[in-house]
Amino acid sequence: MPRQRPTCTGMRVRNVRDAEIILHAVATGILPMVMHRLADEDRLALAPGCIYVWEERSSNPLEATGQEIQRFTEGRSWGPSRARDNFLIYYEKDSPARNSLLHRKNIRHAPQFIKQTYSVYVDYPRNSKKWHLNAYYTQESLEALATVDDVPLFKSVQVPPNQYVCARNNSGRRTTRQNGLSEPYMLPPVPRHVVADPSPPPSSSSSEGSDAHSRASPPISIPPTSPVAPAAPLPPGRSVADCCLAPLAYLQNISPRARDPLDDEVLRQFHLDMSLV
């Protein structure tokens, strides 16, 4: 398999505006999308400033295009996610995989990577494409990396309003089938309370907020929603057996979708709160 290059290199993402400009550059063909998981050579080439844009594989086989990725991996171990604005931040951990990569690159010591991720639904709700942006940097390299404002290529990129909807705000999105058609709907959000890490590493200034805002995100509180109305009864003369249902064997062979990292963080916070009761 030929070597797969990142979507762009030598860059950092300061805020949602930067992320959407890069995403739209991919959508319009200015930048390439990552089409498959990184091979060994691609993982060895990972460097500060590498940014990868990839599409998550849909659980609906009718929506598959053959260009999606089930899970993006780069051969490194990461600590728990930390929410910062609409991004998730991960810090690299020491692990045998990291030591093996450094040994293969003939490096004894190297700064630990920081991974910044941003996930969106593209043109939601008219389609169900979910794109991810993974940006990698180190604390030492952050200030030396370019931004979209430094690259003339991005000056002509105009992002349409509401083209990219943050997936963190739509984490309960699922699909249901009615009369043989797939229609998107939103599950009622579960009340949760997420607090960002009190002392994340310093980052560059953002056009959308001050340095203090970038160092710590405020608590997120989502109120419970009203009960969902019960489903309408079947028409007279119809039974459940008459509905268009997929065979059980087909459903059992569908791989479950990976849980959103934010959901894992919420579950850990819930268990922590329960242990303190």
Side-chain angles (χ1 to χ4, degrees):
M1 181 180 296
R3 179 179 171 184
Q4 181 172 227
R5 298 188 178 276
T7 299
C8 50
T9 58
M11 295 190 62
R12 61 187 171 101
V13 176
R14 301 167 297 180
N15 47 47
V16 171
R17 169 185 171 270
D18 288 3
E20 290 189 346
I21 288 177
I22 295 175
L23 290 169
H24 198 58
V26 173
T28 54
I30 298 176
L31 294 176
M33 175 180 284
V34 178
M35 308 302 292
H36 52 79
R37 296 171 65 176
L38 301 185
D40 287 343
E41 292 186 0
D42 304 326
R43 296 177 180 183
L44 287 172
L46 181 67
C50 288
I51 297 178
Y52 301 84
V53 174
W54 55 283
E55 180 177 340
E56 181 179 317
R57 182 176 300 163
S58 173
S59 60
N60 186 351
L62 299 178
E63 299 176 354
T65 63
Q67 300 178 354
E68 310 93 336
I69 300 175
Q70 181 66 33
R71 184 182 179 187
F72 188 91
T73 57
E74 62 290 282
R76 296 175 183 265
S77 299
W78 306 95
S81 63
R82 304 182 182 184
R84 184 179 300 171
D85 297 331
N86 286 320
F87 297 92
L88 291 177
I89 307 297
Y90 303 82
Y91 292 87
E92 185 182 11
K93 301 189 302 182
D94 286 322
S95 66
R98 167 182 164 84
N99 296 333
S100 175
L101 285 171
L102 294 180
H103 177 73
R104 293 171 63 184
K105 297 175 70 172
N106 295 321
I107 300 176
R108 296 189 62 183
H109 301 285
Q112 291 180 311
F113 274 98
I114 302 173
K115 177 169 65 173
Q116 176 186 15
T117 68
Y118 183 63
S119 303
V120 298
Y121 291 110
V122 182
D123 201 18
Y124 175 82
R126 283 180 288 183
N127 67 51
S128 59
K129 291 182 179 180
K130 188 175 183 180
W131 286 12
H132 302 270
L133 180 149
N134 290 18
Y136 299 86
Y137 60 94
T138 62
Q139 200 62 56
E140 295 77 6
S141 66
L142 184 61
E143 295 298 330
L145 298 176
T147 69
V148 295
D149 296 332
D150 302 322
V151 182
L153 178 70
F154 294 107
K155 294 187 181 299
S156 61
V157 177
Q158 301 295 326
V159 181
N162 303 321
Q163 178 76 12
Y164 305 98
V165 179
C166 178
R168 290 192 62 207
N169 300 329
N170 293 269
S171 58
R173 182 179 178 276
R174 299 293 186 270
T175 56
T176 183
R177 300 187 64 84
Q178 295 181 354
N179 299 326
L181 299 178
S182 177
E183 299 180 2
Y185 75 103
M186 295 292 297
L187 289 177
V190 178
R192 62 179 184 261
H193 187 75
V194 181
V195 180
D197 184 272
S199 57
S203 60
S204 61
S205 59
S206 168
S207 60
E208 294 185 0
S210 64
D211 290 341
H213 178 71
S214 65
R215 287 194 296 267
S217 300
I220 302 173
S221 179
I222 303 178
T225 58
S226 57
V228 179
L234 293 173
R238 298 289 299 277
S239 65
V240 176
D242 298 327
C243 299
C244 298
L245 300 177
L248 178 59
Y250 168 78
L251 296 176
Q252 292 175 336
N253 289 328
I254 296 179
S255 301
R257 299 185 64 178
R259 181 182 292 165
D260 192 286
L262 179 60
D263 294 336
D264 289 328
E265 184 70 20
V266 173
L267 289 175
R268 285 193 292 269
Q269 184 67 33
F270 174 76
H271 290 307
L272 178 61
D273 294 340
M274 291 298 295
S275 66
L276 298 177
V277 174

